[in-house]
Amino acid sequence: NAGVMQNPRHLVRRRGQEARLRCSPMKGHSHVYWYRQLPEEGLKFMVYLQKENIIDESGMPKERFSAEFPKEGPSILRIQQVVRGDSAAYFCASSPGEGLREKLFFGSGTQLSVL
Amino acid sequence: GENVEQHPSTLSVQEGDSAVIKCTYSDSASNYFPWYKQELGKGPQLIIDIRSNVGEKKDQRIAVTLNKTAKHFSLHITETQPEDSAVYFCAAPGGGADGLTFGKGTHLIIQP
């Protein structure tokens, strides 16, 4: 039973490029959360999605950031025109839902470095 | 929304001693309190959790206690070992449609 899979593990982009981060939830999980972690800080909520729906994006910047979780395939966090301040570790978590939304299982993260 | 405070930010203990990490939360309606362990270069891993209908839960060397009146909960690790060295995060419901709001983390260092 594979856990939450994220790729790539490391992503290097130059300022102005686009970054695409992928997350495949655990088998049977239909709820996906994206969190951002800066060095020496905790995890900050960005967005919560279910299949084909964004449920809560209150933690995601209004510009340049978007997320999707299509009917088929992984969830994608997309950052357009990256800036140095976007450099961080991005973690995806999934949950079984159905009253167990709090029980989150995390992937290994994508470390984004913007040059 | 929920606000979770965690302390200390760094904790150094001798191998074999106990470690205690404390968290407070703000929303009295919160009813689920997990603890995550994050090793270098890895994602957070759930190590223990507690629901508000119990005051204590134990799993081998780790335990969590909850004081709902005071709105705080603690992680206790006994007989610490080198592999316990990591960053530990507490959390409480909040932060997006019943997801989790996290504390800022405690860097636990086990000294040989």
Side-chain angles (χ1 to χ4, degrees):
Chain A
N1 184 17
V4 178
M5 303 300 292
Q6 286 189 252
N7 67 83
R9 287 297 311 273
H10 302 275
L11 182 60
V12 179
R13 285 288 177 265
R14 296 190 181 280
R15 280 179 296 169
Q17 291 184 320
E18 179 180 287
R20 279 183 172 242
L21 288 61
R22 294 174 188 78
C23 169
S24 295
M26 285 181 72
K27 188 177 181 181
H29 288 193
S30 58
H31 298 243
V32 166
Y33 297 78
W34 285 92
Y35 283 80
R36 177 162 64 178
Q37 185 177 39
L38 293 169
E40 306 302 321
E41 291 193 16
L43 296 132
K44 299 294 185 187
F45 166 77
M46 298 182 72
V47 60
Y48 163 49
L49 310 102
Q50 294 180 21
K51 282 285 186 182
E52 300 185 276
N53 285 305
I54 296 175
I55 307 302
D56 186 335
E57 55 184 349
S58 59
M60 198 160 65
K62 295 282 186 288
E63 298 181 356
R64 300 188 300 108
F65 286 72
S66 63
E68 62 178 15
F69 189 15
K71 187 176 180 182
E72 301 290 339
S75 175
I76 306 285
L77 179 67
R78 183 181 176 206
I79 311 173
Q80 295 178 288
Q81 298 171 357
V82 296
V83 301
R84 290 222 171 100
D86 297 332
S87 295
Y90 292 83
F91 289 96
C92 166
S94 71
S95 79
E98 300 301 326
L100 290 173
R101 283 200 294 265
E102 308 100 340
K103 217 180 237 322
L104 301 186
F105 297 85
F106 283 85
S108 295
T110 293
Q111 181 65 53
L112 173 64
S113 298
V114 180
L115 304 179
Chain B
E2 178 68 275
N3 183 40
V4 177
E5 301 282 341
Q6 181 174 350
H7 55 95
S9 56
T10 303
L11 178 61
S12 181
V13 301
Q14 290 290 128
E15 183 178 348
D17 288 350
S18 296
V20 181
I21 303 170
K22 299 180 180 180
C23 284
T24 61
Y25 60 98
S26 59
D27 187 352
S28 55
S30 289
N31 60 0
Y32 173 70
F33 306 95
W35 286 90
Y36 285 80
K37 175 184 181 182
Q38 186 177 27
E39 296 175 316
L40 197 62
K42 296 184 179 180
Q45 299 296 308
L46 178 67
I47 56 171
I48 195 167
D49 56 11
I50 191 170
R51 295 205 174 264
S52 58
N53 55 345
V54 297
E56 184 175 359
K57 184 177 177 181
K58 202 172 180 181
D59 183 4
Q60 299 182 353
R61 295 187 297 109
I62 59 173
V64 55
T65 58
L66 171 64
N67 183 327
K68 282 213 73 179
T69 304
K71 290 191 282 188
H72 67 70
F73 56 111
S74 300
L75 177 71
H76 305 254
I77 306 174
T78 58
E79 301 171 19
T80 52
Q81 299 171 4
E83 55 264 35
D84 295 330
S85 293
V87 180
Y88 291 81
F89 293 96
C90 63
D98 294 325
L100 294 172
T101 295
F102 287 83
K104 291 198 170 185
T106 296
H107 188 189
L108 177 62
I109 302 165
I110 308 301
Q111 302 211 351

